[in-house]
Every structure is written in C-alpha cells, then in structure tokens.
Amino acid sequence: MSILETDDGYIGYGGTEDPSNIGQMLLFFKIDKEGEEVIWKPFGENYHSYYFGNVGGAMVKTSDGNFALAYHAANSSGIAYSTLLKLDNNLDTIWKKNYSTDNLW
C-alpha cells in the first residue's frame, strides 16, 4: 500500500483479492482531509496477479500534478511483466506501459 498527500486530501492504492476468485486487483482511492471517501476504483485484468511493492512507495506524484505507479503482474499462464501506470487526479488512466523480459534478450 502507498499513500500520498494532495492539496485536498490523500490518494493511494493497495491490493485486494477479487471476490469472484479470478485474480487480484489493485484498488486506488482518494479520500478528503477528514478521511471520507471521494473516489474508490478497482483496477486490473481478469486472471492476473499483481505485486505492488511489499514496502510501498511505488506511487509518486509527477511534476505535472498527476501520479505514476510501478507494479509487477503475472497472467494465468505465468507470463510476468512490469508495468508503469500514469493516473490523473481522478484516478483515471492516462497511459499504461508493460515491459517484459522478452524485450531484454
């Protein structure tokens, strides 16, 4: 889990198990200064497992006022990849880039 302070509250993410048992999801949230929920958005693809940093701190605020997040994922076939994800202040995806070891060889 990671959380960052913003001008109007806090933004962060954590991981959750999908209740339909088809994988894990990332859960993005935005809360106000009093801790009240503003936005709550699950993110992920079916049959994927997400590894979002055991220590936290994988989310940063970017110079343009948006947010970037790094995570590692694996699909049900065991194919793993790393991802950079950029979100706006409403937790909507601006872009997502996957990187795999296939690109290294």
Side-chain angles (χ1 to χ4, degrees):
M1 175 177 266
S2 186
I3 189 165
L4 300 170
E5 187 170 8
T6 64
D7 292 338
D8 56 351
Y10 304 91
I11 192 167
Y13 76 97
T16 183
E17 293 294 323
D18 184 352
S20 60
N21 205 22
I22 56 174
Q24 296 172 316
M25 304 292 279
L26 297 176
L27 182 60
F28 296 110
F29 61 88
K30 185 175 184 179
I31 56 176
D32 65 19
K33 295 281 185 181
E34 288 75 42
E36 297 298 321
E37 178 183 316
V38 176
I39 301 171
W40 194 258
K41 288 188 179 181
F43 176 88
E45 298 175 65
N46 291 344
Y47 306 105
H48 278 67
S49 294
Y50 293 88
Y51 308 96
F52 37 85
N54 294 333
V55 180
M59 179 184 271
V60 296
K61 189 165 187 174
T62 59
S63 61
D64 60 3
N66 293 303
F67 301 90
L69 169 73
Y71 63 86
H72 172 82
N75 65 23
S76 61
S77 299
I79 297 172
Y81 54 91
S82 297
T83 300
L84 292 177
L85 177 66
K86 189 166 183 181
L87 303 170
D88 66 16
N89 201 37
N90 292 316
L91 304 177
D92 292 322
T93 302
I94 297 171
W95 53 257
K96 181 179 108 171
K97 305 285 183 183
N98 293 329
Y99 304 92
S100 73
T101 55
D102 294 340
N103 298 334
L104 299 175
W105 314 116

